[in-house]
Amino acid sequence: MTTTPGADPTMAHRIGEQTVTVLGPDGSPLAGAEVTVAQRRHAFGFGNIGFDFIPLANDEHALDPKEVETFGGASIEQLERLAELWLDVFNTATLPFYWGRFEPVRGRPDTGRLRRTAQWFADRDVDLKGHPLVWHTVTAPWLLDLSTTEVEQVQRQRITRDVTDFTGLIDTWDAINEAVIMPVFDKEDNGITRLCRAKGRIATVRMAFEEARAANPDATLLLNDFDMSTAYECLIEGVLEGGVQPDVLGLQSHMHQGYWGEEKTLGIIDRFARFGMPIHFTETTLLSGHAMPSELKDLNDYQIPDWPSTPEGEERQADEVVRHYRTLLSHPSVEAITYWGLTDDGMWLGAPGGFVRKDGTPKPAYDALRGLVKGDWWYAPTTMRTGADGTITVRGWYGDYEVAARGETATFGLDRTGTAEVRLG
Amino acid sequence: MTTTPGADPTMAHRIGEQTVTVLGPDGSPLAGAEVTVAQRRHAFGFGNIGFDFIPLANDEHALDPKEVETFGGASIEQLERLAELWLDVFNTATLPFYWGRFEPVRGRPDTGRLRRTAQWFADRDVDLKGHPLVWHTVTAPWLLDLSTTEVEQVQRQRITRDVTDFTGLIDTWDAINEAVIMPVFDKEDNGITRLCRAKGRIATVRMAFEEARAANPDATLLLNDFDMSTAYECLIEGVLEGGVQPDVLGLQSHMHQGYWGEEKTLGIIDRFARFGMPIHFTETTLLSGHAMPSELKDLNDYQIPDWPSTPEGEERQADEVVRHYRTLLSHPSVEAITYWGLTDDGMWLGAPGGFVRKDGTPKPAYDALRGLVKGDWWYAPTTMRTGADGTITVRGWYGDYEVAARGETATFGLDRTGTAEVRLG
């Protein structure tokens, strides 16, 4: 297996051994009792976008195409089944805060619908991330009517408002997206590129982190980019030099032009792991159809009427999904992977990158990923007997667990502390 | 003609009008006198490497191949003729301070030979630049025996020593070369990459500028790179954020894979001109033979036994040289262009990128460039009569001029001040 000094394919860094003291209702250790231990949740973030489920969470039964989010737009009738598939594999959802969609008319943000969607996920034990607070694409068109000074002012206010409005529900944010290209982005005139050209990248990144941090000091804030070249490294160095400390580095990995392979992927992770911050793979796509031509520089330039998922493509996708997830989890710096969509229905660019076909049936990649997340990398329910001191030893994947005995259930976290205590009843 | 808002093909920014008061030997204005005005030198830096002339300046008549500089190694017998060709077009020479060549044995730097070479150029009214003070390629191999802390120490000392030793002769330096790739350069283990990986790019850049500035506060210090992508922009932002102020941005333009064309070139200049610093095109190559395959990422990977200059290639090269120089001079931010070699004999990579063939005869590109530098862009000697107040008006390219009358000659600078005074006799 391809690996690097920074990676460990045995995944030892994701597995711990916990001594759990099981107490009875009276608080004394439950000696010699038969208990069943089961994993409930991964510590690792297995994420996907949750854009599709806004109508479901809001009990909307008609879908105005204009209202469909740019990325993610599955048909209403499929949503309940898709939600089951989603929830069976993923534990972290990214919600859309594209300014141009979230607040197409100044002063009328879509806060209510997004809050209900976030709550819907939270009720199902799913962590949330908001994406993104600052970006030049799909930004508010009305910024073009403002001066650069005013753009900065409203951008700061929007960060404060949205981070505040969602504190407690969404405590992880892509504070800024694609700052490397931001000031030289030339596809479309927009207020954020103007602002970034005037302020510079580092000052724009600082603005995003400053406001988000002030609004929610406990938030986890990401610097996120698709540029895996030395450009992003240089930006990170400059950002750190400028006294801005991201909590997490976000790396995109939309592989519409073909799977990167293990060597390239680990090389990229090693280069960014040098900064000592945790890494999230924030946006991952692997196709079950033909690849986009490699000469295209901007994925958005590829627009075709029909991009089919094929049987061979689906087999390859399943294989690549397994390889990609295995590779990422083998590196201790990676703490989360967010896949960019569940279903081909309404997927970004019309690409067959989902785990589910347009007709709602799961592709092999879905079963393959589930086989890892809930199989190879999952602690299967295990019945055992507590010792004389009421303890059991659980060796498993970091995450949340439950102990059940005599109709009672209690939970504990399997983490690096090595010990836990649960009280039944 | 392709242009951008930042460029002006009329070159108005390079041309000034000067009122020159001509004084006689007694210091009073020389009224109604016939004088001849001639340009002696360009303010713009028309540069080339001066590596070839080290043996000539040192009166060396045998050449040990091991002693030939990595870039530039024309045969001894051609040197006097080459020097004439060189001096007829260029006014600025880059001299080699590749650490691995300059000080192959620790403590035995090649200071004497390089000082004599610098003096040889200075005697011929040529400005000098030293290249480079910090670089990971052709660096001292003995750094590999040192700890990273020691590498930093000797690197700092070497900057101080060499900048000090050449102050007054060489007051312009590439303080650091190719910092974008420096910490991730993986072709060859070397002490500077190790150092840069440990310190980070910005701290390494700061080290270079700190030491060079301290050793020669009046020096012009460049940050130089071949990476024209957003990576270099991000590095520059970070460097400025870190409080390091280069005097000039150096952009390489080795076009072994084909001429960039006007649009790309101006786009690059505009992106870097945003930082408000003067720009030097520090390393330019255009071939008179076939292009290197475009898929190669590192030019050094292309090694062929014979790379001929062809008649069609020479016509194309002459055309591209004219287009490239015209494009660069059309942008007010560009203050110098250094071409990377005069002759194909001993040229870097064996490429036919010179202005002179291996047999010593000039190619069309030589005449084409000379036609610009000493023709289109040159103030032809002009005879005129001073007014009653002893003044003449000279409209010409910024640079050094002379006024001659009655067997006496005096010089003045044509610059942005608009006025000058010369005293004859």
Side-chain angles (χ1 to χ4, degrees):
Chain A
M1 179 164 183
T2 304
T3 184
T4 65
D8 177 3
T10 72
M11 310 276 184
H13 50 284
R14 309 220 174 267
I15 295 166
E17 192 170 277
Q18 196 99 323
T19 300
V20 184
T21 307
V22 183
L23 308 176
D26 63 353
S28 61
L30 214 59
E34 187 174 87
V35 299
T36 299
V37 177
Q39 185 171 359
R40 286 168 62 143
R41 197 175 199 285
H42 273 290
F44 189 89
F46 289 101
N48 205 326
I49 53 173
F51 306 0
D52 288 321
F53 303 110
I54 297 174
L56 185 68
N58 284 277
D59 206 24
E60 295 165 3
H61 294 283
L63 193 63
D64 177 351
K66 288 194 302 294
E67 298 286 319
V68 175
E69 277 299 333
T70 311
F71 312 122
S75 311
I76 292 280
E77 51 271 22
Q78 293 189 13
L79 289 180
E80 292 196 4
R81 171 63 185 141
L82 286 174
E84 286 171 25
L85 291 169
W86 198 105
L87 293 165
D88 200 23
V89 172
F90 302 104
N91 62 18
T92 307
T94 293
L95 290 184
F97 285 81
Y98 303 104
W99 202 356
R101 298 278 178 166
F102 184 74
E103 192 180 5
V105 178
R106 187 172 175 181
R108 292 175 53 194
D110 200 16
T111 311
R113 282 173 83 235
L114 266 294
R115 272 197 65 93
R116 282 186 291 277
T117 309
Q119 190 62 57
W120 184 93
F121 277 110
D123 292 345
R124 286 152 183 83
D125 201 21
V126 172
D127 287 341
L128 287 151
K129 190 177 81 166
H131 167 85
L133 291 170
V134 181
W135 193 30
H136 50 274
T137 302
V138 202
T139 194
W142 43 268
L143 294 179
L144 285 170
D145 304 329
L146 307 181
S147 72
T148 306
T149 310
E150 289 168 325
V151 170
E152 174 162 358
Q153 200 171 31
V154 293
Q155 171 66 79
R156 286 183 181 270
Q157 287 164 353
R158 113 88 161 185
I159 297 173
T160 304
R161 178 194 65 195
D162 296 342
V163 172
T164 304
D165 284 348
F166 287 83
T167 292
L169 269 176
I170 300 181
D171 296 320
T172 301
W173 291 93
D174 286 328
I176 184 164
N177 195 34
E178 303 180 359
V180 168
I181 204 179
M182 191 173 277
V184 294
F185 177 79
D186 59 4
K187 292 247 159 189
E188 185 183 47
D189 188 18
N190 71 88
I192 300 305
T193 288
R194 289 184 190 175
L195 177 65
C196 192
R197 193 177 295 140
K199 286 178 75 75
R201 295 174 178 89
I202 297 171
T204 308
V205 169
R206 182 185 291 115
M207 171 196 74
F209 279 82
E210 235 171 47
E211 296 298 336
R213 193 77 76 199
N216 181 357
D218 297 327
T220 298
L221 301 178
L222 285 85
L223 182 66
N224 192 46
D225 217 295
F226 72 88
D227 190 325
M228 300 293 99
S229 79
T230 48
Y232 192 25
E233 293 177 50
C234 290
L235 177 67
I236 294 163
E237 280 202 28
V239 161
L240 296 174
E241 181 73 29
V244 181
Q245 182 61 62
D247 300 304
V248 170
L249 288 180
L251 310 185
Q252 299 182 20
S253 57
H254 292 294
M255 293 179 278
H256 294 73
Q257 293 172 318
Y259 173 50
W260 292 350
E262 289 83 353
E263 187 178 347
K264 173 178 170 176
T265 306
L266 287 173
I268 288 171
I269 301 174
D270 277 342
R271 281 196 292 116
F272 291 99
R274 285 198 302 124
F275 297 103
M277 282 173 264
I279 289 171
H280 288 186
F281 271 70
T282 50
E283 308 183 21
T284 291
T285 308
L286 282 161
L287 302 186
S288 66
H290 69 266
M292 190 183 289
S294 61
E295 64 271 19
L296 284 174
K297 292 207 170 142
D298 186 332
L299 301 182
N300 290 295
D301 289 344
Y302 193 65
Q303 304 277 356
I304 53 173
D306 184 44
W307 196 342
S309 182
T310 64
E312 320 81 76
E314 292 183 358
E315 291 307 320
R316 190 195 59 231
Q317 180 197 38
D319 178 57
E320 291 172 350
V321 160
V322 169
R323 290 168 63 193
H324 192 57
Y325 277 74
R326 274 197 200 283
T327 303
L328 299 193
L329 270 83
S330 79
H331 202 293
S333 293
V334 180
E335 296 192 346
I337 310 171
T338 290
Y339 200 85
W340 209 249
L342 182 69
T343 167
D344 289 353
D345 185 18
M347 199 174 220
W348 180 42
L349 305 172
F355 288 112
V356 175
R357 301 183 191 97
K358 282 190 180 164
D359 67 6
T361 55
K363 299 179 191 174
Y366 181 85
D367 298 319
L369 180 59
R370 193 182 179 286
L372 294 175
V373 174
K374 288 291 183 70
D376 295 6
W377 299 336
W378 191 251
Y379 183 89
T382 304
T383 299
M384 59 184 83
R385 195 167 289 279
T386 60
D389 55 355
T391 64
I392 52 172
T393 299
V394 181
R395 180 177 164 79
W397 299 82
Y398 291 126
D400 296 338
Y401 285 72
E402 62 176 36
V403 181
R406 302 186 293 196
E408 301 282 355
T409 300
T411 61
F412 67 93
L414 199 159
D415 53 31
R416 286 179 170 74
T417 62
T419 59
E421 196 174 80
V422 296
R423 186 162 172 162
L424 288 167
Chain B
M1 180 165 182
T2 305
T3 186
T4 65
D8 176 3
T10 72
M11 311 277 183
H13 49 285
R14 308 219 175 266
I15 294 167
E17 192 170 277
Q18 196 99 321
T19 300
V20 184
T21 306
V22 184
L23 307 176
D26 62 353
S28 62
L30 214 59
E34 188 173 87
V35 299
T36 300
V37 178
Q39 184 169 359
R40 288 167 61 141
R41 198 177 198 286
H42 273 290
F44 190 88
F46 289 101
N48 205 326
I49 52 174
F51 307 0
D52 287 321
F53 302 111
I54 297 173
L56 184 68
N58 284 276
D59 205 23
E60 295 166 4
H61 294 283
L63 194 65
D64 177 352
K66 289 196 300 294
E67 297 288 318
V68 175
E69 276 300 334
T70 312
F71 312 123
S75 311
I76 291 280
E77 52 271 22
Q78 293 188 13
L79 290 180
E80 293 197 2
R81 171 63 186 142
L82 286 173
E84 286 170 25
L85 291 169
W86 198 106
L87 293 165
D88 199 24
V89 172
F90 302 105
N91 62 19
T92 308
T94 293
L95 289 184
F97 285 80
Y98 302 105
W99 201 357
R101 298 275 177 168
F102 184 74
E103 191 180 6
V105 178
R106 186 172 176 183
R108 293 176 51 194
D110 201 14
T111 312
R113 282 173 85 235
L114 267 292
R115 271 198 64 92
R116 282 186 292 276
T117 310
Q119 189 63 57
W120 184 92
F121 276 109
D123 292 344
R124 286 153 182 82
D125 201 21
V126 171
D127 287 342
L128 287 152
K129 190 177 82 166
H131 166 85
L133 292 170
V134 182
W135 194 30
H136 49 275
T137 301
V138 203
T139 194
W142 45 267
L143 295 180
L144 285 170
D145 303 329
L146 308 181
S147 72
T148 305
T149 310
E150 289 167 325
V151 170
E152 174 163 357
Q153 201 170 29
V154 293
Q155 171 68 79
R156 285 182 181 270
Q157 287 163 354
R158 113 88 161 186
I159 297 172
T160 304
R161 179 194 64 196
D162 297 341
V163 172
T164 304
D165 283 350
F166 286 82
T167 293
L169 269 177
I170 301 181
D171 296 321
T172 300
W173 291 93
D174 285 329
I176 185 164
N177 196 33
E178 304 180 357
V180 167
I181 205 180
M182 192 173 276
V184 294
F185 177 80
D186 59 4
K187 292 248 157 184
E188 185 183 45
D189 189 15
N190 71 87
I192 301 304
T193 288
R194 288 185 190 174
L195 177 65
C196 191
R197 195 178 294 140
K199 286 178 75 73
R201 293 174 179 89
I202 297 170
T204 307
V205 170
R206 183 184 291 115
M207 172 196 73
F209 279 83
E210 235 171 46
E211 296 299 335
R213 192 77 77 198
N216 181 357
D218 298 325
T220 298
L221 302 178
L222 285 85
L223 182 67
N224 192 45
D225 217 295
F226 72 88
D227 190 325
M228 299 294 98
S229 79
T230 49
Y232 192 26
E233 294 177 49
C234 290
L235 176 68
I236 294 164
E237 280 202 26
V239 161
L240 296 174
E241 182 74 30
V244 181
Q245 182 61 61
D247 300 304
V248 170
L249 289 179
L251 310 185
Q252 300 181 19
S253 57
H254 292 294
M255 293 179 278
H256 294 73
Q257 294 173 317
Y259 173 51
W260 290 351
E262 288 83 355
E263 187 177 348
K264 173 175 169 178
T265 305
L266 287 173
I268 288 171
I269 301 174
D270 277 343
R271 282 197 291 115
F272 291 99
R274 284 200 301 126
F275 297 104
M277 281 173 265
I279 289 172
H280 287 187
F281 272 70
T282 50
E283 308 182 20
T284 292
T285 307
L286 282 161
L287 303 187
S288 65
H290 69 265
M292 192 184 286
S294 61
E295 63 271 19
L296 284 175
K297 292 208 172 144
D298 187 331
L299 301 182
N300 290 294
D301 289 344
Y302 192 64
Q303 305 277 354
I304 53 172
D306 183 45
W307 196 343
S309 181
T310 64
E312 320 82 75
E314 292 183 358
E315 290 308 318
R316 191 195 58 232
Q317 181 197 36
D319 178 57
E320 291 172 352
V321 160
V322 169
R323 290 168 62 192
H324 192 55
Y325 276 74
R326 274 197 199 283
T327 304
L328 299 194
L329 269 83
S330 79
H331 202 295
S333 293
V334 179
E335 296 191 347
I337 310 170
T338 290
Y339 200 85
W340 209 248
L342 181 68
T343 167
D344 288 355
D345 185 19
M347 199 174 221
W348 180 42
L349 305 172
F355 287 112
V356 174
R357 302 184 191 97
K358 281 189 181 164
D359 67 6
T361 55
K363 300 180 191 173
Y366 181 84
D367 297 319
L369 181 58
R370 193 182 178 288
L372 293 176
V373 174
K374 289 289 182 72
D376 295 5
W377 298 336
W378 190 253
Y379 182 88
T382 305
T383 299
M384 60 183 83
R385 196 168 287 280
T386 60
D389 55 354
T391 64
I392 51 173
T393 299
V394 181
R395 181 177 163 78
W397 300 82
Y398 291 127
D400 297 337
Y401 284 71
E402 62 177 35
V403 180
R406 301 186 294 195
E408 302 282 352
T409 300
T411 60
F412 67 93
L414 199 159
D415 54 30
R416 286 180 170 73
T417 60
T419 59
E421 196 174 79
V422 296
R423 183 162 173 165
L424 289 167

